[in-house]
Amino acid sequence: MLNVLRTLVLGGLAAGLLGCLAVFLLFVHYGKNLPEIGGLADYDPPQVTRLLDVNGKTIGEFGDERRSLAALEDLPPMLLNAFVAAEDASFYQHRGVDLFGIMRAVARNLLSMGVRQGASTITQQVVKNLLLSHERTGKRKIKEAILAYRLENRLSKREILYLYANAIYFGAGNYGVAEAARFYFDRKPSELSLGQMAYLAGIPKNPAGYRLDRHPKRAKDRQRYVLRRLLELNYIGKKEFDRWSQAELAFTPPEGDTEAALYVVEEIRERMSTILGALRVERGGLRVRTSLDPSMQAALETALRRNLLDYTARHGYRELEIVPESERKRWREDVEKVHRRRGSKPEDLFAFSALHPPRKVEANRKASPWRTLVRRLTPDGLAFAFVVSEANADTVTVSLGDRLGVLASEDVRRVRRRKSDKTSKPLFAPGRLLAVRLADDPDAVPADTALPVRLRLEQVPEAQTAGVAIDPQTRAVRALVGGFSFYTDPFNRATKAKRQPGSSFKPVVYLTALRQKLVTPASILVDEPLTFRIPGSKPWTPKNFDGKHRGPLRLRQALAFSVNTIAARLIDLTGPQAVIRTAKDLGITSELRPHLSLALGSSEVTVLEMANLYAAFADEGRTATPWLIESIADASGRVLYRRKPDSRLGISREEAALAVSLLRSVVFEGTARRAWALKLPVAGKTGTTNDQRDAWFVGFSPRLACAVWLGYDVNRLLGSGETGGRAALPGWIAFMRRALEGKPKETFPVAPGLVHAWIDPETGFRSNGEATAAMDEVFLPGTGPLDPPEERPNDGNENHGE
């Protein structure tokens, strides 16, 4: 027995030695060519770049991972204790690997015949996340253990916890506790309550399953578990445990909207990439202060989108395709998947854009609309739906994915009246794709998914729109819309598309003639047929929009009524080059062609340029570069870029004030009379190009300038009667009404150098002001109205007084 016992002991010792030797050799083998841990002491991971509006709220983010570093001193000790309690109770005792924990895990997994418990320490998780892959192999575990031991010998326990807190994933795209605290509670880590700390410490175990915004009950259970572990480890007392385990755990997302200004966000990303480089923009953790006003942005988007939908409705209903049942089934499955993940709420009916991140959408005009699947068309609730059945003449049922909707009967009747019966398939055949929006406020939508939702029928526009609103005093871009929907077409027409401005360019021509003192606002010009003989070119015969001629008109009237022949006569007097110089003085940067047709806006410019040009009138003649980016700071707060003001005087105060006066007449009595309904001091000019291909309105108040454009991307007419005053002006009015609501009414500044004189409105001659019809007119210094013929001195100068 002794010999047997001796043999067993020696055999066991030999086996143990061989096992230790094998483990040693294994660790020596895998310990070669491992990643260096020295770089972790200066941890600098990719961080999210965030764009902030004028109120400091987020309007956009860049980066593959939403992460912001929290400094060690900003991490409360109790938060670190919560991580230890939730993930690694023996963290302060082991040296990177918990041998007893491994044995417990192995025993439990053997007893359960499955993987029930892991044994990775916090140190090992740091190594895995920052230095190794996530493959589940023995090779990776050995490397992980070696590096964990090395890391423990290199950094302190608090430094390892700092790495863990900033590297771990917390669900919803958030990496690091700083972003998790912001996403779930809109707080910094240093501002968290004990209950919030406990919840965040419990998330890494199952980031998707413990999301507070989707699974509140599971999240609360996980929080209680972490609180119980804190109590068991004596980090907190029974009183604190009872308080926070019973307190409500409320999801409080940060204010701001990262989908409200997608055209603006993409424009800023491109500009930042030019300044700093694309890589730094995507990974640098930058904080970008922008000029965007969220309330004005929402107002401009809503006004232009509604205006474009109204324009589309005026021109009949365009059928969309009938989608095969197989594709409809796939669509419904995607919708149901989203609702299962988010929880089915009435307000989520049209909130499916997360399936298709907007920044990754590529314009594809040939793609069928249904291929967008459940992606909503616009942020404010326009979406696709499919016809399920047509019960009778006024009832059409459609599918919203996991619930049904019923179209408003008046919409069904309206479309049928407009639509010809000469169609191969019924207008509302099953499977027909429709664009719809909620008929009621989202709060009034029944929560019961068995009840149908009331819907209004819309038409997906083929035309496009764009608009820019600028603060004239600072040239800050307060709102910008580059098209109907960024989701379906991210091309920014406000900054990248150049279109003919039509008659909205005429104020530049008039101002040039006034600057040269060739005319005054009281000058009489004749609206009559005329033809210009141009050497080397065909004769040019400008025509008025309505084809009529009004005869003699004062200059003020000619601009108010947008008379083409008189604008052409003026540019012939001044010369096109002089008009181009005035346009450059007012901030136009696009190349303008020196043709007489420039008077009618034949040279292409951007919407942004036109808004900036009119802002110069409101800003007493000063011009400057419009801007979106105020400053850019890195993750540490160091300023990398700050805007430099470049304001200069483009035209004199008197010239600007005179332009304002003339443009106010467009609103009082001319082509923009609709804008008078605002009952605010505003001025502006309509613009309609040849054959009505582009419709514009550019106008301003003392504190806000805005340009609106509507047209097609392709060479297509807008339709009969679709002038700037009908197609573009209503959108401008709707925006200005909301943007200026509640703001103090301001008047336009008065230039002291302007000359006031009474004139006879019929003749433009000077009047003594006693006549009933006499009117007060303004003139540039050194000019004035003509004296009546009977009062003129006989000096042979017919232009006396001008």
Side-chain angles (χ1 to χ4, degrees):
M1 289 297 294
L2 287 174
N3 289 335
V4 171
L5 183 60
R6 186 183 300 112
T7 301
L8 290 174
V9 170
L10 290 175
L13 289 173
L17 288 172
L18 288 173
C20 289
L21 180 61
V23 171
F24 174 75
L25 292 175
L26 201 62
F27 272 72
V28 169
H29 174 71
Y30 286 114
K32 298 177 181 178
N33 302 319
L34 289 178
E36 292 291 332
I37 63 172
L40 296 183
D42 299 313
Y43 183 51
D44 185 23
Q47 299 183 58
V48 64
T49 289
R50 191 160 279 133
L51 310 186
L52 308 175
D53 64 23
V54 292
N55 302 319
K57 305 303 181 183
T58 300
I59 60 169
E61 298 172 341
F62 307 136
D64 296 330
E65 296 179 355
R66 191 186 294 128
R67 177 191 282 109
S68 297
L69 281 184
L72 183 56
E73 57 269 21
D74 294 331
L75 298 176
M78 187 56 70
L79 177 60
L80 301 181
N81 292 339
F83 284 125
V84 171
E87 293 290 325
D88 187 1
S90 60
F91 174 73
Y92 290 107
Q93 286 75 48
H94 64 66
R95 299 293 296 169
V97 179
D98 184 3
L99 296 177
F100 292 105
I102 292 174
M103 288 187 285
R104 282 196 307 271
V106 169
R108 183 173 180 183
N109 292 337
L110 286 174
L111 289 173
S112 62
M113 301 300 291
V115 180
R116 298 291 183 185
Q117 180 177 333
S120 290
T121 64
I122 285 178
T123 311
Q124 287 175 282
Q125 292 182 56
V126 169
V127 166
K128 177 180 68 176
N129 284 298
L130 300 183
L131 298 176
L132 299 174
S133 69
H134 286 249
E135 59 179 343
R136 301 172 68 89
T137 63
K139 175 182 175 181
R140 196 265 295 165
K141 293 296 291 184
I142 293 173
K143 291 182 177 181
E144 183 182 287
I146 297 170
L147 289 171
Y149 179 76
R150 292 180 182 178
L151 187 61
E152 289 275 351
N153 290 323
R154 182 68 178 267
L155 301 179
S156 68
K157 290 288 187 179
R158 278 178 56 80
E159 289 171 330
I160 293 172
L161 285 174
Y162 159 79
L163 292 175
Y164 176 82
N166 281 296
I168 206 70
Y169 181 59
F170 287 87
N174 299 289
Y175 290 81
V177 71
E179 285 300 321
R182 178 182 179 276
F183 177 81
Y184 291 106
F185 305 116
D186 194 20
R187 292 189 177 186
K188 298 176 181 178
S190 58
E191 301 169 342
L192 294 169
S193 68
L194 175 60
Q196 292 167 340
M197 293 179 194
Y199 166 68
L200 293 180
I203 295 178
K205 186 77 173 178
N206 183 359
Y210 295 138
R211 279 185 57 172
L212 180 57
D213 56 325
R214 292 183 179 173
H215 310 292
K217 185 178 183 304
R218 277 191 244 165
K220 183 63 182 178
D221 291 343
R222 181 62 178 169
Q223 180 214 39
R224 288 196 182 100
Y225 166 78
V226 177
L227 288 169
R228 190 177 302 108
R229 292 294 295 143
L230 284 167
L231 176 65
E232 292 168 355
L233 296 172
N234 296 319
Y235 286 124
I236 62 173
K238 184 68 166 59
K239 185 177 180 180
E240 291 174 301
F241 170 79
D242 291 339
R243 176 190 173 188
W244 292 108
S245 61
Q246 295 171 16
E248 179 186 4
L249 183 63
F251 174 59
T252 312
E255 293 183 25
D257 190 346
T258 58
E259 292 189 1
L262 298 176
Y263 285 106
V264 179
V265 170
E266 183 61 18
E267 180 72 19
I268 291 176
R269 186 189 66 79
E270 292 179 6
R271 296 189 182 194
M272 288 175 59
S273 297
T274 301
I275 298 171
L276 301 173
L279 187 62
R280 193 164 192 181
V281 169
E282 296 288 342
R283 301 166 63 90
L286 308 176
R287 292 298 175 266
V288 186
R289 294 200 169 273
T290 75
S291 61
L292 201 74
D293 183 306
S295 61
M296 288 192 187
Q297 179 67 28
L300 187 61
E301 289 190 1
T302 300
L304 296 197
R305 191 173 295 122
R306 185 69 262 162
N307 184 57
L308 183 55
L309 290 170
D310 289 344
Y311 160 79
T312 304
R314 288 198 295 270
H315 294 272
Y317 191 81
R318 186 183 77 260
E319 287 184 10
L320 297 179
E321 65 186 290
I322 294 179
V323 179
E325 172 57 31
S326 59
E327 297 296 343
R328 281 180 268 156
K329 181 180 178 182
R330 185 175 126 205
W331 178 78
R332 287 191 293 268
E333 289 173 351
D334 282 340
V335 176
E336 290 168 1
K337 188 186 301 181
V338 171
H339 270 192
R340 282 196 302 271
R341 198 166 65 229
R342 295 184 174 187
S344 183
K345 302 176 183 177
E347 60 268 28
D348 285 341
L349 281 171
F350 291 83
F352 303 134
S353 61
L355 287 182
H356 301 268
R359 284 193 54 223
K360 297 183 179 179
V361 175
E362 295 181 0
N364 185 351
R365 304 184 195 284
K366 295 181 180 180
S368 299
W370 62 265
R371 294 191 184 280
T372 57
L373 294 177
V374 295
R375 184 174 65 234
R376 59 183 177 174
L377 296 180
T378 62
D380 56 358
L382 190 67
F384 283 132
F386 294 104
V387 174
V388 175
S389 65
E390 185 175 359
N392 55 53
D394 294 335
T395 303
V396 176
T397 304
V398 301
S399 171
L400 289 168
D402 65 342
R403 68 187 301 177
L404 299 177
V406 177
L407 296 183
S409 57
E410 57 267 31
D411 287 349
V412 176
R413 290 193 295 269
R414 169 177 56 85
V415 170
R416 282 211 176 90
R417 281 198 304 268
R418 287 180 175 271
K419 195 65 184 173
S420 169
D421 292 331
K422 298 177 182 178
T423 178
S424 58
K425 294 186 178 181
L427 185 61
F428 295 111
R432 177 79 71 186
L433 187 69
L434 304 175
V436 297
R437 63 179 171 85
L438 291 176
D440 303 313
D441 186 275
D443 293 335
V445 174
D448 186 353
T449 57
L451 297 176
V453 180
R454 291 183 65 248
L455 301 169
R456 297 303 304 260
L457 184 64
E458 292 284 8
Q459 171 75 288
V460 179
E462 291 183 303
Q464 282 290 348
T465 189
V468 176
I470 291 179
D471 181 336
Q473 276 66 46
T474 64
R475 300 308 162 91
V477 177
R478 297 306 186 195
L480 183 151
V481 174
F484 176 70
S485 171
F486 187 90
Y487 298 121
T488 55
D489 190 348
F491 179 67
N492 191 337
R493 294 159 188 82
T495 60
K496 293 180 172 60
K498 292 190 176 184
R499 309 291 300 218
Q500 292 182 345
S503 298
S504 64
F505 190 79
K506 285 178 182 174
V508 181
V509 180
Y510 279 68
L511 181 59
T512 304
L514 290 165
R515 295 176 83 186
Q516 294 183 0
K517 300 185 178 179
L518 300 172
V519 291
T520 73
S523 295
I524 299 294
L525 297 99
V526 181
D527 173 19
E528 61 184 356
L530 72 161
T531 298
F532 295 93
R533 308 292 176 182
I534 305 171
S537 300
K538 293 181 180 179
W540 181 51
T541 303
K543 296 180 180 180
N544 292 328
F545 174 77
D546 57 6
K548 300 177 182 178
H549 296 283
R550 295 175 174 82
L553 291 171
R554 281 179 289 114
L555 186 84
R556 179 179 291 275
Q557 292 175 306
L559 181 61
F561 301 143
S562 198
V563 179
N564 289 344
T565 58
I566 291 179
R569 193 182 296 277
L570 289 176
I571 198 172
D572 185 48
L573 288 172
T574 64
Q577 289 293 356
V579 173
I580 291 174
R581 285 193 295 273
T582 300
K584 299 297 182 183
D585 289 342
L586 290 167
I588 294 294
T589 57
S590 293
E591 182 181 355
L592 303 177
R593 295 182 292 276
H595 302 157
L596 292 180
S597 61
L598 179 64
L600 308 185
S602 62
S603 286
E604 297 82 4
V605 293
T606 66
V607 177
L608 178 61
E609 286 180 285
M610 290 303 293
N612 192 44
L613 185 152
Y614 277 64
F617 297 145
D619 193 24
E620 301 185 89
R622 285 182 290 271
T623 187
T625 304
W627 56 275
L628 280 163
I629 303 174
E630 172 69 32
S631 64
I632 304 174
D634 63 15
S636 65
R638 182 169 59 95
V639 176
L640 305 176
Y641 166 84
R642 192 179 298 279
R643 177 186 65 88
K644 295 180 180 179
D646 61 352
S647 177
R648 62 181 177 81
L649 196 63
I651 59 176
S652 71
R653 290 182 63 190
E654 290 74 20
E655 291 167 349
L658 183 56
V660 171
S661 175
L662 293 172
L663 290 169
R664 294 201 73 186
S665 291
V666 180
V667 174
F668 290 149
E669 59 178 331
T671 56
R673 286 187 299 275
R674 286 187 182 184
W676 185 241
L678 288 172
K679 293 182 170 48
L680 294 170
V682 294
K685 182 70 183 74
T686 54
T688 311
T689 59
N690 285 344
D691 300 323
Q692 299 165 67
R693 298 179 191 276
D694 298 274
W696 292 75
F697 187 79
V698 192
F700 54 93
S701 71
R703 289 288 178 179
L704 189 63
C706 178
V708 170
W709 166 85
L710 189 147
Y712 288 92
D713 290 336
V714 295
N715 188 20
R716 179 173 166 182
L717 306 186
L718 286 170
S720 177
E722 297 293 353
T723 61
R726 189 186 190 201
L729 178 57
W732 185 89
I733 293 172
F735 164 69
M736 294 294 280
R737 180 175 283 116
R738 285 190 58 187
L740 299 178
E741 186 178 13
K743 303 286 194 309
K745 292 184 180 180
E746 299 183 57
T747 58
F748 289 105
V750 177
L754 282 182
V755 178
H756 287 258
W758 289 97
I759 66 166
D760 181 340
E762 291 296 324
T763 64
F765 294 146
R766 187 186 303 275
S767 170
N768 59 14
E770 295 178 358
T772 305
M775 63 175 290
D776 183 24
E777 185 57 274
V778 290
F779 302 84
L780 290 177
T783 69
L786 287 170
D787 291 325
E790 64 274 11
E791 298 180 12
R792 294 185 202 171
N794 187 15
D795 58 4
N797 184 2
E798 291 300 320
N799 290 321
H800 182 75
E802 288 194 43

